[in-house]
Short mmCIF file of all heavy atoms in Angstrom, two decimals:
data_model
loop_
_atom_site.label_atom_id
_atom_site.label_comp_id
_atom_site.label_asym_id
_atom_site.label_seq_id
_atom_site.Cartn_x
_atom_site.Cartn_y
_atom_site.Cartn_z
N ARG A 296 -17.58 15.40 26.10
CA ARG A 296 -17.66 16.46 25.18
C ARG A 296 -19.09 17.00 25.02
O ARG A 296 -19.55 17.37 23.94
CB ARG A 296 -17.09 16.09 23.83
CG ARG A 296 -15.69 15.52 23.87
CD ARG A 296 -14.96 15.61 22.59
NE ARG A 296 -14.59 16.97 22.27
CZ ARG A 296 -13.60 17.61 22.84
NH1 ARG A 296 -12.79 17.02 23.73
NH2 ARG A 296 -13.32 18.87 22.52
N TYR A 305 -17.49 26.16 32.95
CA TYR A 305 -16.93 27.49 32.63
C TYR A 305 -17.54 28.53 33.51
O TYR A 305 -16.83 29.39 34.13
CB TYR A 305 -17.20 27.76 31.18
CG TYR A 305 -16.84 29.17 30.72
CD1 TYR A 305 -15.51 29.54 30.51
CD2 TYR A 305 -17.84 30.13 30.47
CE1 TYR A 305 -15.19 30.83 30.08
CE2 TYR A 305 -17.55 31.40 30.05
CZ TYR A 305 -16.17 31.75 29.86
OH TYR A 305 -15.89 33.01 29.43
N GLU A 306 -18.84 28.51 33.66
CA GLU A 306 -19.53 29.48 34.51
C GLU A 306 -19.03 29.39 35.97
O GLU A 306 -18.91 30.39 36.67
CB GLU A 306 -21.04 29.27 34.47
CG GLU A 306 -21.67 29.60 33.16
CD GLU A 306 -21.70 31.09 32.89
OE1 GLU A 306 -21.55 31.86 33.86
OE2 GLU A 306 -21.78 31.49 31.70
N ARG A 317 -5.28 37.71 36.66
CA ARG A 317 -5.09 39.12 36.88
C ARG A 317 -3.98 39.45 37.86
O ARG A 317 -3.26 40.42 37.75
CB ARG A 317 -6.41 39.74 37.40
CG ARG A 317 -7.49 39.88 36.37
CD ARG A 317 -8.52 40.93 36.79
NE ARG A 317 -9.00 40.79 38.13
CZ ARG A 317 -10.03 40.01 38.48
NH1 ARG A 317 -10.66 39.33 37.55
NH2 ARG A 317 -10.45 39.96 39.69
N ASN A 324 -6.19 43.08 28.86
CA ASN A 324 -6.49 42.32 27.62
C ASN A 324 -5.79 40.94 27.62
O ASN A 324 -6.41 39.91 27.27
CB ASN A 324 -6.08 43.12 26.38
CG ASN A 324 -6.95 44.35 26.18
OD1 ASN A 324 -8.12 44.32 26.45
ND2 ASN A 324 -6.33 45.45 25.75
N GLU A 327 -7.48 38.66 30.11
CA GLU A 327 -8.75 38.09 29.58
C GLU A 327 -8.43 37.02 28.51
O GLU A 327 -9.11 36.00 28.43
CB GLU A 327 -9.60 39.24 28.99
CG GLU A 327 -10.13 40.18 30.08
CD GLU A 327 -10.54 41.52 29.51
OE1 GLU A 327 -10.47 41.67 28.27
OE2 GLU A 327 -10.95 42.38 30.30
N ASP A 328 -7.45 37.38 27.68
CA ASP A 328 -7.09 36.39 26.64
C ASP A 328 -6.58 35.08 27.25
O ASP A 328 -6.98 34.00 26.80
CB ASP A 328 -6.08 37.00 25.71
CG ASP A 328 -5.76 36.07 24.53
OD1 ASP A 328 -6.64 35.88 23.70
OD2 ASP A 328 -4.61 35.55 24.46
N ASP A 342 -11.43 15.36 27.20
CA ASP A 342 -11.60 13.89 27.13
C ASP A 342 -10.37 13.18 27.63
O ASP A 342 -10.39 11.94 27.74
CB ASP A 342 -11.99 13.48 25.69
CG ASP A 342 -11.04 14.05 24.66
OD1 ASP A 342 -10.10 14.73 25.07
OD2 ASP A 342 -11.30 13.84 23.49
N ILE A 378 -2.10 47.97 38.32
CA ILE A 378 -3.57 47.95 38.04
C ILE A 378 -4.10 49.32 38.29
O ILE A 378 -3.68 50.02 39.20
CB ILE A 378 -4.22 46.84 38.92
CG1 ILE A 378 -3.68 45.49 38.56
CG2 ILE A 378 -5.72 46.93 38.82
CD1 ILE A 378 -4.15 44.41 39.45
N LEU A 399 -1.95 50.82 47.34
CA LEU A 399 -1.26 49.73 48.01
C LEU A 399 -1.53 48.40 47.34
O LEU A 399 -0.62 47.58 47.16
CB LEU A 399 -1.65 49.72 49.48
CG LEU A 399 -0.94 48.65 50.35
CD1 LEU A 399 0.60 48.87 50.34
CD2 LEU A 399 -1.46 48.67 51.77
N GLN A 400 -2.77 48.18 47.02
CA GLN A 400 -3.14 46.91 46.34
C GLN A 400 -2.46 46.82 44.97
O GLN A 400 -1.99 45.76 44.59
CB GLN A 400 -4.63 46.78 46.17
CG GLN A 400 -5.39 46.54 47.43
CD GLN A 400 -4.96 45.25 48.10
OE1 GLN A 400 -4.59 45.26 49.28
NE2 GLN A 400 -4.97 44.13 47.40
N LEU A 422 -3.29 31.99 49.21
CA LEU A 422 -3.81 33.17 49.88
C LEU A 422 -5.01 33.76 49.17
O LEU A 422 -5.97 34.20 49.81
CB LEU A 422 -2.73 34.23 50.00
CG LEU A 422 -1.51 33.76 50.82
CD1 LEU A 422 -0.48 34.91 50.88
CD2 LEU A 422 -1.90 33.30 52.25
N GLU A 427 -6.66 24.43 49.59
CA GLU A 427 -5.97 23.59 50.57
C GLU A 427 -4.66 23.13 50.00
O GLU A 427 -4.43 23.05 48.78
CB GLU A 427 -6.83 22.36 50.86
CG GLU A 427 -8.18 22.65 51.49
CD GLU A 427 -8.03 23.15 52.92
OE1 GLU A 427 -6.94 22.97 53.53
OE2 GLU A 427 -8.97 23.77 53.42
N TYR A 428 -3.70 22.85 50.94
CA TYR A 428 -2.38 22.48 50.51
C TYR A 428 -2.41 21.18 49.68
O TYR A 428 -1.61 20.99 48.78
CB TYR A 428 -1.44 22.32 51.72
CG TYR A 428 -0.84 23.61 52.19
CD1 TYR A 428 -1.19 24.12 53.42
CD2 TYR A 428 0.06 24.28 51.40
CE1 TYR A 428 -0.65 25.34 53.87
CE2 TYR A 428 0.60 25.47 51.84
CZ TYR A 428 0.25 26.01 53.04
OH TYR A 428 0.79 27.20 53.50
N ARG B 31 13.42 27.02 59.57
CA ARG B 31 12.59 27.55 58.53
C ARG B 31 11.28 26.76 58.44
O ARG B 31 10.20 27.34 58.27
CB ARG B 31 13.34 27.53 57.19
CG ARG B 31 12.64 28.19 56.04
CD ARG B 31 12.38 29.66 56.32
NE ARG B 31 13.61 30.41 56.50
CZ ARG B 31 14.34 30.94 55.54
NH1 ARG B 31 13.95 30.79 54.30
NH2 ARG B 31 15.43 31.62 55.78
N ASP B 39 1.70 29.15 58.60
CA ASP B 39 0.47 28.51 58.05
C ASP B 39 -0.58 28.35 59.17
O ASP B 39 -1.75 28.56 58.90
CB ASP B 39 0.85 27.15 57.46
CG ASP B 39 -0.34 26.51 56.75
OD1 ASP B 39 -0.81 27.12 55.79
OD2 ASP B 39 -0.79 25.44 57.21
N ARG B 46 -8.04 33.16 59.06
CA ARG B 46 -9.04 33.11 58.01
C ARG B 46 -10.22 32.24 58.36
O ARG B 46 -11.37 32.56 58.03
CB ARG B 46 -8.40 32.57 56.73
CG ARG B 46 -7.36 33.53 56.17
CD ARG B 46 -6.99 33.20 54.73
NE ARG B 46 -6.17 34.27 54.20
CZ ARG B 46 -5.93 34.42 52.92
NH1 ARG B 46 -6.49 33.59 52.04
NH2 ARG B 46 -5.16 35.38 52.49
N ARG B 47 -10.00 31.15 59.03
CA ARG B 47 -11.10 30.25 59.33
C ARG B 47 -11.79 30.64 60.64
O ARG B 47 -13.02 30.57 60.73
CB ARG B 47 -10.60 28.82 59.42
CG ARG B 47 -10.26 28.25 58.09
CD ARG B 47 -9.98 26.77 58.17
NE ARG B 47 -9.63 26.21 56.89
CZ ARG B 47 -9.22 24.95 56.71
NH1 ARG B 47 -9.10 24.18 57.79
NH2 ARG B 47 -8.95 24.52 55.54
N ARG B 75 -3.73 41.05 53.49
CA ARG B 75 -4.13 41.92 52.39
C ARG B 75 -4.40 41.19 51.07
O ARG B 75 -4.95 41.76 50.17
CB ARG B 75 -3.01 42.97 52.15
CG ARG B 75 -3.00 44.13 53.16
CD ARG B 75 -2.13 45.23 52.69
NE ARG B 75 -2.37 46.43 53.51
CZ ARG B 75 -3.30 47.31 53.29
NH1 ARG B 75 -4.16 47.13 52.26
NH2 ARG B 75 -3.49 48.35 54.06
N MET B 76 -3.92 39.97 51.03
CA MET B 76 -4.11 39.26 49.77
C MET B 76 -5.22 38.23 49.88
O MET B 76 -5.07 37.11 50.33
CB MET B 76 -2.77 38.55 49.38
CG MET B 76 -1.73 39.51 48.99
SD MET B 76 -0.23 38.71 48.36
CE MET B 76 0.44 38.13 49.91
N THR B 80 -9.56 41.54 47.81
CA THR B 80 -8.63 42.61 47.58
C THR B 80 -7.84 42.43 46.28
O THR B 80 -6.90 43.16 46.02
CB THR B 80 -7.63 42.71 48.73
OG1 THR B 80 -6.93 41.47 48.81
CG2 THR B 80 -8.33 43.01 50.03
N PRO B 82 -6.91 42.58 42.37
CA PRO B 82 -7.12 43.63 41.37
C PRO B 82 -8.46 43.38 40.67
O PRO B 82 -8.80 42.30 40.24
CB PRO B 82 -5.99 43.42 40.41
CG PRO B 82 -4.92 42.73 41.20
CD PRO B 82 -5.64 41.86 42.19
N ARG B 85 -12.12 44.51 34.65
CA ARG B 85 -12.90 45.54 33.95
C ARG B 85 -14.37 45.11 33.99
O ARG B 85 -14.66 43.92 34.01
CB ARG B 85 -12.40 45.64 32.53
CG ARG B 85 -11.03 46.22 32.38
CD ARG B 85 -10.67 46.53 31.00
NE ARG B 85 -10.39 45.36 30.19
CZ ARG B 85 -9.82 45.36 29.00
NH1 ARG B 85 -9.42 46.52 28.47
NH2 ARG B 85 -9.63 44.26 28.34
N ARG B 89 -15.98 39.92 31.71
CA ARG B 89 -16.58 38.62 31.48
C ARG B 89 -17.10 38.49 30.05
O ARG B 89 -16.89 37.45 29.38
CB ARG B 89 -17.71 38.45 32.48
CG ARG B 89 -18.52 37.18 32.24
CD ARG B 89 -17.65 35.91 32.38
NE ARG B 89 -18.32 34.77 31.86
CZ ARG B 89 -19.20 34.07 32.61
NH1 ARG B 89 -19.46 34.43 33.85
NH2 ARG B 89 -19.82 33.05 32.08
N ARG B 91 -15.96 40.04 27.55
CA ARG B 91 -14.75 39.96 26.67
C ARG B 91 -14.20 38.52 26.67
O ARG B 91 -13.80 38.00 25.64
CB ARG B 91 -13.69 40.93 27.15
CG ARG B 91 -14.00 42.37 26.88
CD ARG B 91 -12.99 43.27 27.58
NE ARG B 91 -13.15 44.68 27.28
CZ ARG B 91 -12.55 45.27 26.25
NH1 ARG B 91 -11.72 44.60 25.47
NH2 ARG B 91 -12.78 46.58 26.03
N ASP B 93 -15.84 35.83 27.30
CA ASP B 93 -16.79 34.94 26.56
C ASP B 93 -16.58 35.04 25.07
O ASP B 93 -16.53 34.04 24.35
CB ASP B 93 -18.22 35.39 26.90
CG ASP B 93 -18.60 35.03 28.36
OD1 ASP B 93 -17.80 34.34 29.02
OD2 ASP B 93 -19.66 35.49 28.84
N ARG B 95 -13.98 36.13 23.51
CA ARG B 95 -12.67 35.59 23.12
C ARG B 95 -12.68 34.08 23.08
O ARG B 95 -12.09 33.49 22.15
CB ARG B 95 -11.61 36.10 24.14
CG ARG B 95 -10.20 35.60 23.85
CD ARG B 95 -9.70 36.22 22.57
NE ARG B 95 -8.34 35.81 22.25
CZ ARG B 95 -7.93 35.44 21.05
NH1 ARG B 95 -8.78 35.51 20.01
NH2 ARG B 95 -6.72 35.09 20.85
N SER B 109 -11.78 13.26 17.98
CA SER B 109 -12.24 13.56 19.30
C SER B 109 -13.71 14.01 19.31
O SER B 109 -14.48 13.81 20.22
CB SER B 109 -11.37 14.64 19.93
OG SER B 109 -11.77 14.87 21.25
N PRO B 114 -14.31 9.65 24.59
CA PRO B 114 -13.17 8.88 25.00
C PRO B 114 -13.41 7.38 25.06
O PRO B 114 -12.67 6.58 24.51
CB PRO B 114 -12.83 9.43 26.39
CG PRO B 114 -13.39 10.79 26.37
CD PRO B 114 -14.58 10.75 25.51
#
Side-chain angles (χ1 to χ4, degrees):
Chain A
R296 308 201 70 78
Y305 173 76
E306 290 291 339
R317 286 201 310 272
N324 290 325
E327 291 161 3
D328 184 67
D342 50 3
I378 296 174
L399 183 60
Q400 288 301 126
L422 300 180
E427 298 291 342
Y428 277 113
Chain B
R31 187 59 62 86
D39 186 63
R46 294 196 172 195
R47 288 188 181 174
R75 282 193 167 275
M76 290 187 285
T80 60
R85 292 189 289 193
R89 175 59 193 278
R91 288 171 175 270
D93 292 350
R95 180 66 180 138
S109 184

